[in-house]
Amino acid sequence: MKIVNLEDIKGSDQEVDAGNWTSRRLIMKDDGMGYSVNDTVIRAGTETHIWYQNHLESVYCIEGEVEVTTLKDNKTYRITPGTLYALDEHDEHLLRGIKDARLVCVFNPPLSGREVHDENGVYPADLD
């Protein structure tokens, strides 16, 4: 069994700050679970273009408020505590921080650890 405490991740190499967001990588590829789990903070007043071409993601909001706009159909969804959204079609989207928000994000395939979005909003594929 593996036990991970968020406080042990903060300030370590498993915490990635990309300006608009900070992601604490709790479970990663090397943990061998077949998925990864992140505790992510989205900052209010930010907008991030994301397009996970290589990953599927489920996101559960536990604090704050964000908006997700899917670019394929220009629909906007308000995400508040207790709401989960799943990017099950590699949905290209904009993520806007309305209030500072805390999200639990699950990725398949799992992240390796230090990924940040490229110029297209994509995390690279980890083929190892």
Side-chain angles (χ1 to χ4, degrees), residues 89-105:
E89 296 180 356
H90 302 280
D91 310 87
E92 183 176 12
H93 61 287
L94 297 175
L95 178 62
R96 291 183 199 89
I98 305 303
K99 298 178 184 174
D100 284 349
R102 191 163 160 223
L103 310 171
V104 176
C105 308

Side-chain angles (χ1 to χ4, degrees), residues 53-68:
Q53 297 172 9
N54 304 309
H55 298 84
L56 297 175
E57 181 191 27
S58 292
V59 180
Y60 182 66
C61 180
I62 57 176
E63 293 177 14
E65 182 178 346
V66 298
E67 284 182 349
V68 177

Side-chain angles (χ1 to χ4, degrees), residues 2 6 11 15 24 33 37 44 60 69 74 84 87 93 95 110 115 119 125-126:
K2 183 175 182 71
L6 179 62
E15 182 176 53
R24 288 86 175 235
M33 298 294 294
V37 178
Y60 182 66
T69 300
N74 204 35
L84 179 138
L87 301 163
H93 61 287
L95 178 62
E115 291 90 344
E119 66 278 358
D126 185 354

